[in-house]
Amino acid sequence: MRLGINNIGRISSADIQLSGITIVAGENNVGKSTIGKALFALLHHMDNWNQLYTNICHMDLENLVKKYANELEIFCLEHTQAKNRRTNKANALIKELSYRAEIVTAIEDLQVKSEDPNMPIDNLEAYNKMKNYMRTFVQSYIELYQSYDVKQFMIDNAEFIEKWENKIISAFINDLNIDETDLQLDDINDCFNSVFEKQFRKFDTNESQIKFEDDNKIINKLIIEWNNEGMNLSTPIITERGVRFIESPKLFDKIGYNYPFKDLRNSTIRLMEPNSTANFFPKQLSKRDMYVMEENIRPFETLSNGAVEILSKLQNYMGGHGEYNLSGGIKFKDDSLSKPVNATNVSSGLKGLAFLEFAIRVGAIKEGDVVIFDEPEINLHPEWQQLYAEILVEMQIKMKLIILVTSHSPFFIRALEVYSDVKGIMDNLNAYLVEKDKVIDIMHTEYGMTDLYERLTAPFDKLEDILNKEGE
């Protein structure tokens, strides 16, 4: 997997190889997190895209039919004996029409074939098929207001019905956008705006770009471009990889707060997004997010063998595990204590590991996912940094994850390097140094990781210089 970035956030240009574990290092406020956020915004929803795309098409079709059904309703109220609206039954009828797969397929076929200027639209088989669908719908709609002589009513009002059918079919062709590339681009653009709070494009630049390649070979190269004239996506993303963003051990405290009674798995997935702790509660879910959250919680027994191994190791390291119940929320069950510990009384270091354990256990992190860790060494003692690094390497190996880590800790980065070497995955360790306006591929510099450590430990040398000057 490879990610190219041009003029996104603070990053002018970057070409990042993502395989195994990728380290993005640098000082504060240089744009390390931008790389992880851009990757998240690009892939968010994409593992559920097929279902999401289908639901967007149906939802937009339903809204369009409702708009044109208003005219049909007024006509029925004026030309039948009905005195009251049939709102609930009419909405159910519209939904039944809009969520039929063959209807959307017929509209897609009609849109494609109507582009041929040499073929009159009323001669198209797709057009005639759609006419039949709409005639059946109109009859059912009229039956809501008049239960007798419906066929005769339709004959008597054939002119109105014909015009209405032609009008709505024309809207299907010209006003309903079900192009997959367009809809996916809109979704990705929404994600970038959400993650970067509408400031994802580098200031004072005319064009921003994302390039993406996946190892599944389905996509040779995908390019998204934003400029002053609009935006463009070269081809839709096709991937089964989920993407998760872990930015704080405080995520452990929030487990189960959003939609706790419905689905712990998806509730936990929603926590693993940029800015989730800052914007966590209250937070309204969009209709599209609601579609994404339809899956049920993943039982423990469906986890991969690698995930089960990681769980066992984490529980052994911590001497316990996260425990959730509806009345008490999330707590830590320490094996040496008789009662579970409230989340607020658990140390930040332990929370970081406990959240990982819980997320894996409920299936919120699954085999093959892309997991982004934003400065995970914060609040960790060096011994726990070493432990966390070991766990990340084990997770990558056992669960076949693609891991991106941002960090400014030379100790934590060294631990990742050592465990990658010991576990035999050095070939899949990538490291980049972010400096103002440039991103350096450290593994291909003359001194490699040594060069990275020298730059990150430079403040220690400055302190030594200060002491030496004071001693003179």
Side-chain angles (χ1 to χ4, degrees):
M1 184 179 287
R2 199 165 198 93
L3 179 70
I5 297 176
N6 292 98
N7 295 330
I8 300 291
R10 290 182 171 273
I11 303 297
S12 295
S13 180
D15 184 19
I16 308 295
Q17 176 67 40
L18 297 159
S19 60
I21 296 176
T22 298
I23 299 167
V24 178
E27 299 176 3
N28 291 325
N29 204 35
V30 293
K32 298 189 304 297
S33 296
T34 295
I35 295 171
K37 288 180 176 180
L39 179 62
F40 177 89
L42 178 68
L43 297 182
H44 188 40
H45 292 166
M46 292 305 112
D47 57 329
N48 290 299
W49 174 250
N50 286 339
Q51 183 62 47
L52 180 58
Y53 167 63
T54 299
N55 285 325
I56 291 171
C57 290
H58 291 312
M59 181 176 65
D60 291 348
L61 175 58
E62 181 182 9
N63 290 334
L64 185 63
V65 175
K66 277 184 178 179
K67 175 183 174 181
Y68 282 86
N70 289 334
E71 183 181 354
L72 193 58
E73 179 188 46
I74 293 170
F75 182 84
C76 288
L77 288 171
E78 291 177 348
H79 293 82
T80 68
Q81 299 300 313
K83 296 181 179 180
N84 299 315
R85 301 177 67 194
R86 302 289 191 268
T87 304
N88 292 327
K89 288 187 176 182
N91 286 340
L93 189 64
I94 292 168
K95 183 176 285 291
E96 191 276 332
L97 173 78
S98 303
Y99 282 78
R100 287 168 59 187
E102 64 268 27
I103 299 292
V104 176
T105 301
I107 292 173
E108 186 176 35
D109 193 32
L110 186 59
Q111 288 180 347
V112 171
K113 292 182 178 179
S114 65
E115 294 174 357
D116 185 354
N118 298 317
M119 177 66 72
I121 190 169
D122 54 2
N123 288 341
L124 292 174
E125 180 183 348
Y127 181 83
N128 294 322
K129 183 185 294 186
M130 185 56 64
K131 286 280 287 187
N132 290 333
Y133 284 137
M134 297 316 300
R135 182 59 54 91
T136 302
F137 171 77
V138 169
Q139 180 174 333
S140 299
Y141 198 96
I142 292 171
E143 287 172 352
L144 298 178
Y145 295 85
Q146 179 164 309
S147 58
Y148 60 90
D149 294 335
V150 173
K151 290 185 178 180
Q152 185 60 48
F153 180 89
M154 294 180 70
I155 292 171
D156 294 342
N157 296 280
E159 183 179 355
F160 169 82
I161 292 172
E162 181 76 16
K163 286 182 179 179
W164 187 88
E165 290 171 350
N166 290 338
K167 193 183 299 182
I168 195 170
I169 292 173
S170 178
F172 290 159
I173 296 171
N174 300 307
D175 300 336
L176 184 65
N177 186 358
I178 56 175
D179 181 82
E180 183 177 8
T181 302
D182 287 348
L183 293 178
Q184 190 176 101
L185 177 58
D186 286 342
D187 189 74
I188 292 172
N189 187 65
D190 288 346
C191 288
F192 269 88
N193 277 317
S194 175
V195 167
F196 290 93
E197 298 186 350
K198 299 183 179 180
Q199 292 186 334
F200 69 90
R201 293 182 60 185
K202 190 175 177 64
F203 293 155
D204 303 321
T205 55
N206 295 324
E207 185 173 282
S208 301
Q209 187 181 78
I210 293 287
K211 294 181 180 179
F212 179 72
E213 297 178 60
D214 199 349
D215 299 334
N216 61 19
K217 305 302 181 187
I218 297 176
I219 305 171
N220 291 324
K221 183 173 287 188
L222 173 149
I223 300 174
I224 308 174
E225 295 177 319
W226 294 267
N227 54 46
N228 295 334
E229 297 179 359
M231 53 188 182
N232 181 66
L233 172 64
S234 61
T235 184
I237 296 174
I238 303 172
T239 184
E240 295 180 354
R241 301 184 190 276
V243 62
R244 313 289 180 245
F245 191 101
I246 299 176
E247 64 180 351
S248 170
K250 292 181 180 179
L251 296 179
F252 183 75
D253 299 352
K254 305 296 184 181
I255 289 173
Y257 273 36
N258 56 342
Y259 297 85
F261 312 111
K262 180 178 180 182
D263 188 342
L264 266 179
R265 174 179 178 265
N266 280 306
S267 176
T268 305
I269 287 174
R270 272 196 65 81
L271 283 174
M272 291 183 284
E273 300 180 7
N275 315 317
S276 64
T277 52
N279 302 324
F280 186 76
F281 186 82
K283 186 174 183 180
Q284 286 293 111
L285 293 181
S286 68
K287 288 183 179 179
R288 294 181 180 185
D289 282 330
M290 289 294 288
Y291 287 129
V292 173
M293 291 181 66
E294 284 177 353
E295 293 182 24
N296 292 323
I297 189 167
R298 180 186 296 267
F300 178 89
E301 55 266 21
T302 66
L303 299 177
S304 67
N305 292 335
V308 174
E309 286 185 47
I310 294 298
L311 284 178
S312 177
K313 186 161 289 191
L314 278 167
Q315 291 164 4
N316 182 58
Y317 279 140
M318 296 185 297
H321 62 276
E323 185 177 85
Y324 179 81
N325 61 69
L326 298 181
S327 59
I330 189 67
K331 298 183 179 183
F332 183 77
K333 182 64 179 72
D334 191 317
D335 295 339
S336 65
L337 301 176
S338 59
K339 295 181 179 180
V341 181
N342 292 334
T344 52
N345 296 323
V346 178
S347 71
S348 294
L350 184 56
K351 284 179 183 178
L353 292 178
F355 180 81
L356 277 184
E357 187 272 337
F358 189 88
I360 295 170
R361 179 148 47 91
V362 299
I365 298 176
K366 65 183 188 304
E367 189 168 300
D369 279 348
V370 177
V371 187
I372 302 157
F373 295 87
D374 192 41
E375 299 182 353
E377 75 276 4
I378 294 176
N379 299 317
L380 292 180
H381 182 277
E383 184 176 350
W384 279 70
Q385 289 188 34
Q386 179 179 329
L387 174 60
Y388 205 100
E390 182 182 1
I391 287 295
L392 293 192
V393 173
E394 289 280 356
M395 286 175 62
Q396 195 287 313
I397 295 171
K398 300 292 186 182
M399 298 178 66
K400 301 178 179 62
L401 301 177
I402 291 179
I403 293 177
L404 175 67
V405 180
T406 65
S407 176
H408 42 52
S409 167
F411 184 87
F412 181 65
I413 293 171
R414 177 60 177 162
L416 286 171
E417 182 187 15
V418 167
Y419 283 112
S420 295
D421 191 8
V422 170
K423 301 293 183 179
I425 62 166
M426 277 298 291
D427 289 344
N428 282 326
L429 180 68
N430 312 289
Y432 296 86
L433 177 66
V434 182
E435 294 185 332
K436 288 185 178 180
D437 224 31
K438 63 180 179 180
V439 178
I440 303 168
D441 184 351
I442 286 295
M443 304 303 273
H444 291 89
T445 61
E446 183 177 359
Y447 298 104
M449 295 296 284
T450 301
D451 189 25
L452 175 63
Y453 297 133
E454 285 184 359
R455 297 183 189 222
L456 292 180
T457 57
F460 286 100
D461 297 333
K462 289 182 179 179
L463 290 174
E464 289 296 324
D465 290 341
I466 292 171
L467 282 175
N468 291 335
K469 286 181 180 179
E470 287 294 319
E472 291 177 358

